[in-house]
Structures are given as C-alpha cells and as structure tokens.
Amino acid sequence: MAEHVRALIVLMALSLVFFQVVRGAVSQLIPEATFRRWRNLWVAATLALFLSNSVWVCILVTGALLLLYRRREEHVMGLYFFLLFVSPPVPAEIPGLGIIDHLWVLDHYRLLGVTLLLPVAFALFQRASTPRVGSSPVDWWVLGYLALMSLLAFRPGNVTSGLRTVLSLWIDIFLPYYVASRSIRNEEGLRHAMTGFVVASMILSLVAIFEMLRGWKLYSAVLGALGVNEWMFGGYLMRSGFLRPNATVGNSIVLGYVLVVALGFFLYLKELLSSPLHRFLGLALLAGGIVASLSRGPWVGSLLLVASFIAIGPKAVKRVGGLGLGVVAAFLLMSLIPGGQLFIDMLPVIGTADQGNVEYRANLITSALPVIERHLMLGSFDFLSAPELQVMMQGEKIIDVVNSYIGVALYSGMIGLVLFLGIFLSTLLQIRKHARVARQLEPRVSVMGRSLFAAVSATMFIIYTVSSIIAIPVVYWPLLGICVAYTGTIRDQMRKLAELPHKA
C-alpha cells in the first residue's frame, strides 16, 4: 500500500473520531447543521488532496466544492478558517500561454481567498452599510504598508514580476483583512470565525502529537503523489530524539504559532461551553499540540499569551503571580520526574539542546544591522547578497532571516518597519480600549477582547523568532481583521445603547 494512502487512512481515523467526540461541544458554539457541512467539506477536501494524484486536479475539485457551498455560509470567515489547514500550500503555476513565463502562482491559501473571500469582498464594496476603508485607525497602517510594498515590488525593474507581486500582496494581505474586518458585524460572526479556527487547529494538534510520537510526517508522501518535491517543506528534523512535526503548515514553528493563536481564541470560546470536561479537554489538546511542536518560540509565546490575557482582566496582579508560581512549580516537577530533564534541555535560555539555533538568531541581528543602516529608509531588494549576511549562509546554502521584523527592515527599511509595527500596535490599542468598554455590555464580550489582545501580543513575540513564512502571515492578517471587526461591533452596540433614550 502506498505511503500516502496509509497516511490517508490514519487521518480519516483520527479526524472522524475527533469530529464525533467534539460534535456536542461545537454545537454549543455554532449550529449543528453548519458543523456537519464544515465536517463534510473537510473530509471531501482531504480525499481530493490524497486521491487526485495531481496538483491541478486537487485545486479544481476543491475549488468546485468551495464555489458550490459558499452561498450557504452566512459567516464566511468561519468556513475559511475551518478549511485553511486542510492542505499544504502546494504551489501551482498558471501558465503564461507562451507570452510570459507564468501568470500567477496558486496554492491552497490563495484558492480559499479567490473562491470564498473575493466574491464576499465585491459584495461588501457594493453595500452601502459596509464601513468604509479608513474608518478604523488600523486600516490606514495596513493601506500604508501595502502601498509601500506595492511600489517596492517594481524596484528590481521587472514590470511583469512586479505586477504579479502586487496582485499577490492584495490577495494575500488586503483581501483576508478586509473581509474579516467588514463581513463580521456581531458577536455571532466573531464566534463562528473563532470556532472555525479552533476546531481546524485541534485537528492540526492531533496530527502534531501523532507525528511527534510516531516519527512519521503524514503529509509528506502526498506531495510526491501530487507530482511535486516531497521535501519542499523540509525533511525530517529532530530535536532531542523526537520528530519536529509539520502537519499541513510545512514547519514546526509555524505549527506552534497556529496553535498558540487557537489557544487564545479558546480562552474565550471555553466560556460558552457548559461542560468543564469539554473545557479541560480543549485546553489539553491545544497545549499538547504546542508542546509537540517542539518549538521554543511558540512555547514562550503561549506563556506570554496567557499572561497577556490575565494582565488585562480582573485581579491581574494576583493571577499573574499565580501563573508565575505555577510555571516555577511545573519546572521543579519536571526536574524530578523521569524524562523531565529531556524537556528542560529543550527550553530556551536554560536548555542545552540545539543552542546553535539561538546563536544563529543573535548573530543574524548583529549581521543585519549594518545592512539596514546602509539602506535605512527603504531597504534593499537584494539584501541577501550583502557581505555581512553572506556569513550567515547555512549548510543548505540558504540565509534564513528568522526574524520577521529584521526581514521587513532589510527589504523595506525603517519606513516599512514603522508601518508594519504600527499595524500591530494600533490593533492592540484599539482592542484594549474597546475591551474596557465591553465590560459595560456583557462580561463575555470583554473576555473575547482579552483573548484577541493576547493572540496579537503572542503573535508579535513569535514573529520575532521566525520569518513570516507559509501560514504565519496567512493567520495574522485575518486575525488583525477580526480585531477590527470586534472594535466595530463594540462601537455599534454602544451607539445603539446611546440611541435608546431618544427613541423612548
């Protein structure tokens, strides 16, 4: 039996059992009919991935399913997030018909954008009730960053390549941000989006735990069956004798990041679950996946997420102190139990495993600073050829810019970095402000704001430890859009409350 067929059998067994177990809990968050439709689409898309034996057949079948079912979705971001991780982002070039090399590169993420989000975006543009672009302070930072990156795309002098890059920028960044921020207008829409992301991430978490324990990447063989390089997302990387899992996102750090964001969302969703057992199992599954990622950035990011969530809530000092004591107690316990030292050795700062990765990140900053200073305002498109960065060449003959902020500064200078940071910082300020206001409406809505604040805070830390590759920007752009939707929802509710005396 072919390896990818055996992997499909394992995935079907894991996922179908999972869907059956969580059905009752998820039905408290979204209608059961919606859950069944999402589940059926996930299964169909997975079967298309593993049985099509062609990238284009897989794209066409999945695209047809999305176009067929999208009109049934009242809250499209929920379905978008639920299917976001069903397939690795295998690239497929649209041929240029002999005129140019190729028109564009399509992958699973862009397929979801074009089939699910683009029609919604057109409808939102035409609707008079849609908040205008620029109604949120975050919009201006996003537009400024996009405008700069669009101009810089033509810097190498290739007009065709520049046009492709601009199209990719607006499809990859503006489209998910815009649809997330404008299509969601109430708590129900926010809950659908967060539920879709969390349930999809829980499947990733199951796969991550399986891959780590069994030492088998379930999605590697299917790449070869699709006719692409089986190792395009890297080989079997180990840490302290354990496999670092990839699942569908192609990288263990990316996997850990996705699960950290899901954990942030679940801190809100668990408030809606009636069973303490469901809350515990949900937290345990996501935490287990984060641990199984064997990625130190997400490990620290998850602690920062929980600390941020607590810090802007009631009794913050007492609870943050309790979290700190809990971490110390867990560390002491791990040092006493058999095998605990193995885990401690993988921890950042105090651990001894793979310290070369830590040193590489520190050396990268030192090497990049003179290059940034030389092209201070607008950066350089060929920064990797700089002598200072050539010394960072690794054995695979690549220079890995494992810091998103350094990457932005190298490519687009301090102007780009200020705009990029402005997007995240303005989002945090808006969320913090509106989460306080939400306490007057409904404590649960304030908890949602705290969970979003924590997810953005953790994102800002984790992307300091990794470049914005594969699924990382695919997650944080709509995450920022959801935050804008949250603030708009709070404003709308406060406006309605203010109008009540007039109507009386």
Side-chain angles (χ1 to χ4, degrees):
M1 185 182 296
E3 183 182 349
H4 73 283
V5 176
R6 290 191 290 113
L8 174 62
I9 293 172
V10 172
L11 283 169
M12 286 294 104
L14 287 174
S15 60
L16 292 178
V17 170
F18 168 77
F19 286 137
Q20 184 62 31
V21 171
V22 303
R23 184 179 63 179
V26 176
S27 296
Q28 297 179 52
L29 306 174
I30 59 175
E32 187 168 352
T34 299
F35 173 69
R36 287 199 302 268
R37 186 168 61 251
W38 288 4
R39 176 201 62 196
N40 294 342
L41 276 170
W42 191 96
V43 171
T46 300
L47 290 174
L49 171 68
F50 278 84
L51 301 179
S52 60
N53 293 320
S54 164
V55 175
W56 278 111
V57 171
C58 178
I59 286 176
L60 291 173
V61 172
T62 305
L65 288 170
L66 294 173
L67 291 172
L68 180 64
Y69 281 90
R70 69 175 177 82
R71 293 185 179 277
R72 304 184 187 183
E73 296 300 323
E74 182 181 359
H75 304 290
V76 69
M77 290 305 301
L79 178 60
Y80 172 81
F81 278 138
F82 189 80
L83 297 179
L84 191 58
F85 311 117
V86 76
S87 169
V90 181
E93 290 188 353
I94 301 175
L97 304 176
I99 303 172
I100 54 177
D101 179 38
H102 65 279
L103 293 176
W104 198 41
V105 176
L106 192 63
D107 60 23
H108 178 68
Y109 301 148
R110 288 177 178 169
L111 177 67
L112 289 174
V114 171
T115 56
L116 288 182
L117 303 187
L118 195 58
V120 175
F122 283 136
L124 289 169
F125 272 124
Q126 297 169 9
R127 194 177 301 162
S129 60
T130 302
R132 62 178 178 80
V133 175
S135 58
S136 167
V138 183
D139 292 351
W140 293 108
W141 291 102
V142 172
L143 289 174
Y145 181 73
L146 272 171
L148 175 64
M149 299 301 284
S150 297
L151 290 173
L152 295 180
F154 296 96
R155 187 165 47 183
N158 188 323
V159 175
T160 304
S161 176
L163 290 172
R164 276 197 297 264
T165 301
V166 171
L167 174 62
S168 299
L169 285 169
W170 288 84
I171 292 292
D172 297 346
I173 297 177
F174 184 75
L175 182 61
Y177 169 81
Y178 178 78
V179 174
S181 62
R182 266 60 186 183
S183 68
I184 301 174
R185 302 306 305 157
N186 50 42
E187 185 185 356
E188 181 185 0
L190 289 162
R191 188 173 66 250
H192 271 69
M194 296 169 85
T195 300
F197 190 93
V198 167
V199 177
S201 298
M202 285 181 171
I203 300 173
L204 279 186
S205 195
L206 276 175
V207 173
I209 294 169
F210 178 90
E211 289 187 352
M212 185 203 71
L213 294 178
R214 297 290 296 177
W216 178 23
K217 292 187 177 182
L218 292 176
Y219 287 88
S220 288
V222 74
L223 299 179
L226 291 172
V228 298
N229 180 9
E230 189 171 328
W231 310 114
M232 67 183 305
F233 297 114
Y236 274 57
L237 298 179
M238 311 296 288
R239 173 164 286 171
S240 296
F242 293 100
L243 174 68
R244 301 186 67 182
N246 285 4
T248 60
V249 296
N251 183 282
S252 56
I253 302 179
V254 178
L255 174 61
Y257 165 67
V258 170
L259 298 180
V260 168
V261 174
L263 178 62
F265 286 177
F266 192 73
L267 292 177
Y268 158 70
L269 293 176
K270 69 180 180 62
E271 300 296 317
L272 306 175
L273 300 178
S274 58
S275 170
L277 178 62
H278 288 155
R279 299 175 193 171
F280 171 78
L281 291 176
L283 288 171
L285 179 56
L286 291 172
I290 293 170
V291 172
S293 73
L294 302 181
S295 300
R296 291 176 284 214
W299 286 358
V300 178
S302 63
L303 287 178
L304 177 62
L305 179 138
V306 175
S308 300
F309 179 80
I310 295 173
I312 61 171
K315 302 178 181 179
V317 174
K318 179 180 178 181
R319 292 180 176 178
V320 170
L323 175 65
L325 290 175
V327 171
V328 172
F331 177 79
L332 292 175
L333 179 64
M334 291 299 296
S335 66
L336 296 175
I337 63 175
Q341 188 60 44
L342 187 65
F343 178 80
I344 293 173
D345 286 342
M346 290 189 281
L347 293 175
V349 183
I350 62 173
T352 58
D354 289 344
Q355 284 303 301
N357 292 344
V358 178
E359 295 172 4
Y360 183 90
R361 283 168 167 81
N363 293 335
L364 173 67
I365 296 174
T366 303
S367 299
L369 286 177
V371 183
I372 295 171
E373 185 178 1
R374 195 157 56 242
H375 306 278
L376 188 61
M377 300 309 295
L378 292 173
S380 169
F381 72 91
D382 60 349
F383 58 85
L384 289 178
S385 62
E388 295 90 343
L389 287 174
Q390 283 294 304
V391 300
M392 300 301 298
M393 187 80 71
Q394 299 183 92
E396 302 89 345
K397 301 299 180 184
I398 61 169
I399 301 171
D400 197 358
V401 184
V402 283
N403 185 315
S404 293
Y405 304 111
I406 292 295
V408 170
L410 286 167
Y411 181 78
S412 58
M414 295 309 297
I415 295 177
L417 182 59
V418 167
L419 291 169
F420 185 73
L421 281 170
I423 296 169
F424 288 93
L425 293 176
S426 62
T427 299
L428 287 178
L429 289 173
Q430 291 294 305
I431 287 289
R432 183 73 182 98
K433 172 184 174 183
H434 287 81
R436 287 174 175 171
V437 173
R439 294 177 188 172
Q440 306 172 33
L441 302 172
E442 170 66 50
R444 189 179 65 221
V445 180
S446 180
V447 173
M448 180 189 288
R450 290 166 56 200
S451 74
L452 291 172
F453 182 93
V456 175
S457 299
T459 294
M460 292 190 70
F461 170 79
I462 293 173
I463 64 175
Y464 177 79
T465 69
V466 64
S467 54
S468 291
I469 55 172
I470 318 174
I472 288 181
V474 176
V475 169
Y476 66 60
W477 291 119
L479 167 62
L480 295 166
I482 286 176
C483 292
V484 172
Y486 172 81
T487 60
T489 299
I490 300 302
R491 284 198 302 269
D492 289 346
Q493 293 185 25
M494 294 301 294
R495 190 180 303 115
K496 290 176 182 177
L497 285 176
E499 291 172 355
L500 287 178
H502 283 301
K503 293 181 178 179

